Amino acid sequence: MISSCVKTLLIDTHCHVQSEAFDADRGEVLERARHSLEALIVVGDDLEASRRAIELCGPGVYAVVGVHPYHAALLCGETTPDSDSALDTLRELALSPGVVGIGETGLDYYRYCTTPKEAQREAFIAQLELARELALPVAIHNREAHEDVSAILDEYAPLPAGGVMHCFAGGPDFVERTLGWGLHISFAGNVTFPKAQELRDAARAVPVERLLVETDSPYLAPQPVRGKRCEPAYVCYTLQTLAETRGESVEELAQRTVENARRLFRLSE
């Protein structure tokens, strides 16, 4: 059993427990999460993953539905003739019980992402517009695409229901820009890595009322469990590092991040 490193139950605001990485023991993973989390938010990266996220919804489990930059062609008219129906399908999924946001969407210019940049931008904008239409917050993915993400958000922000820059990757200067768009900022397990000093510097610059925590599991297991498959129960390690970095009480910071998540995603207590 994994014991939480804080007394207050946490909220993992971004995980992918619907992924095949959890097919063998998803029930056990969710049971461990129930012992240390008030809630978790399961995030889609394409239409099928979004459907699976919705299937997991229940007490303390919510879904965010969307199309990741890797799969942006699904919503891009130039490469997918059926793109209108894909967007309609995403809209229908977003109206399902338990859905609390759109995402993850955004831009990924890292070398492993082969989706053309223009398709990524088109899909990102389409989902920002859908979030505006449905008054849902947006979970934004940004990997090595600061300038284009900034250009789009300069035009479309602030969004009616806000959003979060998930798995924040940047320094204090990008914190300031992100806050200017009215977004929350969420940190994942990589903020605990020894060489991630820039992320910890960024974490100190985030006002407590805009701070969230996540695992992005099965990815980015925090330093104490690095090398293992990440899971929602590990979010306590990230929270602990943030509290130490910011010079704040672990229990108080835990409670504040829970309140922030409830407010942004309109979660019931």
Side-chain angles (χ1 to χ4, degrees):
M1 181 66 65
I2 301 168
S3 60
S4 175
C5 49
V6 297
K7 296 178 182 178
T8 304
L9 295 180
L10 299 171
I11 295 179
D12 181 358
T13 60
H14 194 112
C15 65
H16 301 280
V17 293
Q18 82 281 45
S19 75
E20 62 183 16
F22 295 101
D23 282 353
D25 62 345
R26 186 173 292 106
E28 290 88 343
V29 168
L30 292 174
E31 184 61 27
R32 286 192 289 270
R34 290 186 184 99
H35 286 278
S36 55
L37 303 181
E38 174 181 305
L40 56 91
I41 298 176
V42 186
V43 181
D45 56 18
D46 62 17
L47 298 179
E48 183 55 35
S50 295
R51 288 189 187 95
R52 293 198 302 271
I54 293 169
E55 290 172 357
L56 293 175
C57 287
V61 182
Y62 302 88
V64 166
V65 298
V67 176
H68 188 283
Y70 278 17
H71 309 292
L74 286 169
L75 302 180
C76 181
E78 290 184 6
T79 57
T80 306
D82 200 27
S83 60
D84 286 343
S85 66
L87 186 58
D88 289 342
T89 298
L90 182 57
R91 181 181 289 104
E92 292 173 6
L93 292 173
L95 296 172
S96 302
V99 173
V100 295
I102 299 294
E104 64 187 283
T105 180
L107 303 178
D108 191 319
Y109 291 175
Y110 190 59
R111 65 180 183 270
Y112 293 143
C113 185
T114 60
T115 308
K117 292 180 180 179
E118 184 54 39
Q120 292 189 45
R121 290 190 287 264
E122 184 176 333
F124 185 23
I125 289 169
Q127 290 176 88
L128 290 175
E129 291 177 341
L130 181 61
R132 185 181 297 277
E133 173 191 337
L134 300 179
L136 288 172
V138 184
I140 298 174
H141 174 103
N142 168 34
R143 191 173 191 189
E144 299 192 5
H146 285 8
E147 292 311 311
D148 281 0
V149 165
S150 297
I152 290 171
L153 289 175
D154 281 345
E155 180 176 355
Y156 284 88
L159 298 164
V164 54
M165 192 68 71
H166 113 86
C167 193
F168 188 81
D173 289 346
F174 199 64
V175 166
E176 185 174 354
R177 296 171 79 176
T178 303
L179 296 172
W181 297 314
L183 299 174
H184 286 63
I185 293 175
S186 180
F187 290 93
N190 51 342
V191 76
T192 71
F193 296 170
K195 294 182 179 179
Q197 188 58 50
E198 184 181 43
L199 279 182
R200 289 188 287 276
D201 292 342
R204 282 193 290 270
V206 180
V208 69
E209 65 272 14
R210 298 279 197 93
L211 186 66
L212 297 172
V213 289
E214 63 172 274
T215 58
D216 201 21
S217 52
Y219 315 108
L220 298 175
Q223 187 64 30
V225 286
R226 195 169 182 180
K228 297 183 179 181
R229 178 197 63 183
C230 192
E231 62 177 82
Y234 293 163
V235 74
C236 67
Y237 298 117
T238 296
L239 186 284
Q240 188 170 44
T241 292
L242 289 174
E244 293 169 356
T245 296
R246 293 165 60 91
E248 296 172 2
S249 158
V250 171
E251 285 72 22
E252 183 175 347
L253 189 61
Q255 184 59 39
R256 292 300 297 270
T257 62
V258 166
E259 292 169 356
N260 295 343
R262 288 177 188 156
R263 184 176 61 251
L264 176 62
F265 293 106
R266 292 176 282 182
L267 307 182
S268 57
E269 294 189 30

